[in-house]
Amino acid sequence: MAKLILAAATLLASASAFTPIALPSTPVTNHGSSTSLGVTADETSSKRKRALKTLARTAGVLSSVAFTTAGFPPAALAAKKAAEVVEVVKTVDNTQKLLAAGAGVIAAGAAVIKLTTGEKAQDFLEASPYWDQSNVPVNVYKNKAPFTGKVVSTKRIVGPKATGETCHIIIDHKGDFPYWEGQSWGVIPPGTREKDGKPHSVRLYSIASSRYGDDMSGKTGSLCVRRATYWCPELKADDPAKKGICSNFLCDTKPGDEVMMTGPAGKVMLMPEEDPKTDYIMVATGTGIAPFRGFVRRLFFENTPAAKAYKGQAWLFLGVANGDALLYDDEFQEAKTKFPDNFRLDYALSREQENKKGGKMYIQDKVEEYADEIFAKLEGGAHIYFCGLKGMMPGIQGMLEEVCKAKGLEYETFIKGLKEKKQWHVEVY
Ligand code: FAD
């Protein structure tokens, strides 16, 4: 695939190095297909023209080098020129069209630059080697000296019939607050507590993007926040005096609002990336999906060494009330379509589906349907993750206990074994 694209790009470059190639609106990935990179398509035309002009100039130099020398120019020169082109693309305007034009030009200059589908490799936030977790940042910003982030956007991401409101909030950290997939940020809501006038305490939120952020700049992070409301049984309505402080603050933010943040927190939900054949079983309820969205983006939608290497199977279970309450379904469907062998997706919709006993379909019922496969995967070294409301765990544990019993396994010993081998990851709240 990459070869094909390179060949096509070379042809294009020789005919007209400057013709922008219209890429699909969905983003591009390394497995030979692509994903949403959060690249904006609504850039001003003057910006585009400026960028194309610059590209054209640089490309002209490159093309002439490429076609006036016998064979390829020296790799170093080609690489340098290619880097210039990428730089132009990066600094002027990150539209997909420009990136594609850049790829064409680079291909004309030399085939030494590793580009897959027109994207620049993303490795500027990687450890060396990429799976080395010895320097994962933890609690860099503390309560006493928090970081001030700026809201880029806040969007409701559930349908009208969802139970409650969940928002996707993108926060700009200017590249000064790096984190790894599976970590959380703390948020200190503004204002003081009614009871004692002291500042509000910090609340933790799992980060819902990969380390590169939704725009792949490495300068943003996203949160998936459910607005906590309090239903008053006497009033038979929400009591605004008792609504959750921090979640309401976050869900009400507007672009440009400042957010006081701490962290990044936690290492229990990190992915062990050293063996790229590792299977991941991810079990979420509601906003517990947040870390797994980050995982899926890292495994399938980026141009990183981690995504390139991944050969295992990631299996996501999400439990919500109904179809309107599903989170990031479009991205997961895309992953499923593009990587049918590497990504599996199962939903438990408690108010729309029935379990095998005719009751509501809760997350443990959905997981139980695949108990044999899941146990086989765990025995083969798969890592299992749980994230969401605390209330999900008793049901999950009860189900696992039953399955163990049916298989003649001792439940406590089985779980202890998973924990000892670091295959068991739980973050519930
Ligand atoms: P608070 O103000 O702390 O109130 C808590 C609850 O009490 C609310 O439901 C509120 O309505 C209710 N309440 C308030 N006053 C009264 C009263 N007088 N009587 C009765 N009830 C009352 N949440 C997410 O949405 N997304 C995440 O990704 C996420 N990740 C997390 C990760 C971790 C590791 C942890 C520990 C928690 C995570 N949480 C997440 C939960 C989050 O930290 C907050 O606990 C949550 O948003 C509620 O905080 P709040 O300030 O809005 O509510």
Side-chain angles (χ1 to χ4, degrees), residues 247-258:
S247 58
N248 279 272
F249 159 68
L250 285 169
C251 291
D252 288 336
T253 50
K254 304 269 174 300
D257 285 355
E258 292 188 341

Side-chain angles (χ1 to χ4, degrees), residues 141 146-152 170-174 176-177 185-187 219-221 249-250 253-262:
Y141 295 96
F147 180 86
T148 304
K150 231 176 212 170
V151 171
V152 175
I170 302 177
I171 299 174
D172 184 359
H173 62 80
K174 296 197 169 101
D176 295 330
F177 202 162
W185 269 338
V187 173
K219 293 179 181 170
T220 69
F249 159 68
L250 285 169
T253 50
K254 304 269 174 300
D257 285 355
E258 292 188 341
V259 182
M260 296 226 285
M261 300 158 72
T262 64

